[in-house]
Amino acid sequence: MSRIAYFGPQGTFTEQAARSLAGDEELFPVETISAALTSVRKGEADAACVPVENSVEGPVTATLDGLAEEAPLVAVAEALLPVHFTVLAREDVETVRTVASHPHALAQVRLWLERNLPEARPVVASSTAAAAVAVQRGEYDAAVTAPVAVEHYPLRVLATGVADVPDARTRFLLLRPPGRLPEPTGADRTSIVAAAANRTGALAELLSELATRGINLTRLDARPIKGNFGMYRFFIDFEGHVAEPRIGGALAALRRRCNNVRFLGSHPRADGVAATIEPGAANDDFVNADAWVDAVRKGELA
């Protein structure tokens, strides 16, 4: 049976995402995002499930940095989860003076805590599940957790469906070593990380390669390159699949323009949104244009 490592411990949103992506594969938690990626690179797991971005707090930088460095891993699937929290405690709400959770979770329930637990002091934990463990141990009074935490930790439920932003969501990736890619579906996402030259207009040139082919961006983030102050990598997600002529052409152009490009995967989008195709930018348009050029080279057309 194949195994999937996920950013744990048990009782996190990542466990929920891993369950939705796993099928009959065995799941096991690890302590950090880096450990999840390393377990795949070392062959201890067949895949890793990690968060990559949140609609409120933005990119998960540990995942981005981990994908840009060391042996390549590619995303073969994604999950998109609504982020609604459950508040667990040892005692009644009247006794709550400390509330622990991951920093992203605390940020997303700040207003709820101010309204409902105004006397409680927020405390940072390494994960939402680690906060629940700390409450069990008596270190804190309450924890802001993922809903799945109630299956693992015998604590009192103070509130469910807690979120300052009702439509907040987190996207998770299922990562494997490079190999056969998922087939294109028409509603796909391709991801790369690119290091552009340090000169005027370099980023604009990269984005123009996508724009001229009618390729729509879904995410753009920048991260510093360690050991090179002032140098950045750009993490770019866009609609489409590498098997498509227009996407393949864009990747080839980016490879020519950049100091380094790493392919991070092409896979179906969790939201099922089909790619936006501009006039003249359908795959058949690119195939027909290439066929015309080939005919001109052969002297068959002018």
Side-chain angles (χ1 to χ4, degrees):
M1 178 183 292
S2 60
R3 308 176 74 217
I4 297 177
Y6 67 89
F7 173 39
Q10 289 182 317
T12 60
F13 282 102
T14 311
E15 181 190 1
Q16 289 184 227
R19 287 182 180 185
S20 72
L21 295 169
D24 59 357
E25 294 170 294
E26 177 189 353
L27 303 180
F28 68 97
V30 294
E31 291 186 0
T32 65
I33 289 172
S34 177
L37 303 183
T38 298
S39 67
V40 180
R41 289 172 172 140
K42 288 185 174 181
E44 299 167 353
D46 299 284
C49 182
V50 295
V52 66
E53 65 172 329
N54 174 267
S55 61
V56 176
E57 293 300 301
V60 180
T61 56
T63 296
L64 299 188
D65 293 343
L67 290 175
E69 300 163 359
E70 301 186 38
L73 296 173
V74 296
V76 296
E78 66 178 33
L80 194 62
L81 295 187
V83 182
H84 296 159
F85 296 94
T86 296
V87 180
L88 303 178
R90 286 180 292 112
E91 305 293 343
D92 294 331
V93 66
E94 292 79 8
T95 66
V96 174
R97 293 296 178 268
T98 53
V99 180
S101 196
H102 187 274
H104 281 192
L106 290 173
Q108 293 179 72
V109 299
R110 179 179 58 83
L111 296 178
W112 187 93
L113 292 175
E114 289 177 357
R115 288 193 299 265
N116 295 276
L117 296 172
E119 303 300 320
R121 174 173 58 89
V123 181
V124 170
S126 60
S127 70
T128 56
V133 172
V135 171
Q136 272 191 300
R137 293 173 178 168
E139 298 173 22
Y140 308 115
D141 300 321
V144 177
T145 71
V148 72
V150 300
E151 299 178 18
H152 301 291
Y153 308 106
L155 296 167
R156 179 172 298 187
V157 177
L158 295 187
T160 60
V162 175
D164 290 348
V165 180
D167 62 349
R169 296 183 293 176
T170 296
R171 187 164 64 93
F172 299 83
L173 298 178
L174 184 66
L175 300 161
R176 298 186 185 274
R180 184 173 180 176
L181 297 174
E183 294 295 321
T185 66
D188 304 293
R189 189 191 314 273
T190 292
S191 303
I192 63 168
V193 55
N198 185 17
R199 58 181 174 78
T200 302
L203 177 58
E205 290 175 0
L206 301 190
L207 299 181
S208 70
E209 296 292 354
L210 302 176
T212 56
R213 292 170 174 83
I215 298 171
N216 186 42
L217 288 184
T218 60
R219 183 173 64 92
L220 174 63
D221 290 304
R223 291 289 296 156
I225 299 175
K226 296 176 182 178
N228 290 277
F229 183 77
M231 299 290 289
Y232 291 85
R233 295 186 181 98
F234 298 99
F235 292 82
I236 307 173
D237 288 358
F238 44 88
E239 294 177 347
H241 192 286
V242 66
E244 300 175 46
R246 67 192 187 112
I247 302 300
L251 292 179
L254 292 174
R255 183 68 181 85
R256 292 194 304 270
R257 287 188 179 275
C258 296
N259 295 337
N260 181 266
V261 176
R262 175 174 284 193
F263 175 71
L264 300 180
S266 285
H267 56 80
R269 291 178 58 160
D271 57 14
V273 175
T276 303
I277 306 298
E278 300 293 335
N283 286 306
D284 286 346
D285 295 323
F286 286 88
V287 171
N288 293 337
D290 287 342
W292 177 81
V293 171
D294 185 56
V296 169
R297 287 170 175 164
K298 293 177 180 178
E300 299 171 353
L301 291 175

